[in-house]
Amino acid sequence: TPLFRTQYGQYAAEFGIGSPPQKVNLFLDTGSGPMAVSAVGVKSVIAHSPIFDPALSSSGSTVPYPSSTPACQNPAKSNANLCGTVVSYGTGGLEGYLYTDQVSVGSLPSVTTTFTLMTMESGAASGTVAQPFSSPNVAGIVGLAFPSLSGLYGNTEVLDVVSEYSKQLSVPNQFALCLSDMAGVFSVGHPDRALYDATTLRWSTLANKLGTITQPTGYYTVNMVS
């Protein structure tokens, strides 16, 4: 699916959420785990458009608290009867509750995915520094990092679009990003072979550890040799 670059350097793609699908732009983040979507009524420092309206989806449902869902750790701050989420980023953060609905990307059919519907988001652009939710035409985030990075869930049950495609439709559990200065392509399942020359492409094994850190970082890390 095509990507576009925001004025703050974030790359975003169009996703379909709900039934019927509502087209919403979400930016892709290889440095975080969960997927989170701004919903109508979210407390935000900036207005987003388009934005997801759960009332217009016939397939969506909330996750009650308590729940056996591994991702359900605490009640939502906005409603103690729902499973809540709180995420902090390097700059900014979010609060919300778990929500299950149909999600699609590109030409792939939709899959059932549990993600966060945001009730509050913090972080606005300051000068040229991008905060998580600083772009008015981007209404959420798709985390693509390894499960170990997700302190929100505290386990490997990170509920993301790529892994759900793998589980539900037997699509390879892979994604690829091809980026240019202002645009790009996001591929789920395998890289788009039309975008690279297989004879010149070189692969690098990801590092499991970073420096003296004993636990996996969750980030996509390669060892550089000077």
Side-chain angles (χ1 to χ4, degrees), residues 177 191 195-206 222-224:
L177 297 171
L195 299 177
Y196 66 91
D197 182 355
T199 63
T200 59
L201 187 67
R202 296 295 180 265
W203 298 89
S204 178
T205 301
L206 295 177
V222 293
N223 290 321
M224 304 294 290

Side-chain angles (χ1 to χ4, degrees), residues 9 70 87 104 117 181 200 207 213 220:
V87 181
S104 62
L117 271 191
D181 287 343
T200 59
I213 298 175
Y220 298 97

Side-chain angles (χ1 to χ4, degrees), residues 77-168:
K77 292 185 177 182
S78 60
N79 186 333
N81 295 317
L82 301 179
C83 287
T85 54
V86 177
V87 181
S88 295
Y89 300 96
T91 52
L94 65 87
E95 295 175 6
Y97 56 89
L98 293 182
Y99 180 83
T100 301
D101 210 337
Q102 298 293 303
V103 176
S104 62
V105 57
S107 60
L108 291 172
S110 61
V111 291
T112 302
T113 305
T114 299
F115 54 93
T116 295
L117 271 191
M118 288 186 276
T119 56
M120 187 279 291
E121 61 182 46
S122 62
S126 176
T128 59
V129 179
Q131 305 287 341
F133 310 106
S134 54
S135 298
N137 60 337
V138 179
I141 180 172
V142 176
L144 297 172
F146 286 118
S148 58
L149 185 64
S150 182
L152 168 65
Y153 297 131
N155 53 48
T156 58
E157 291 295 322
V158 175
L159 307 169
D160 66 88
V161 174
V162 176
S163 64
E164 290 304 321
Y165 270 113
S166 177
K167 294 174 185 177
Q168 298 178 37

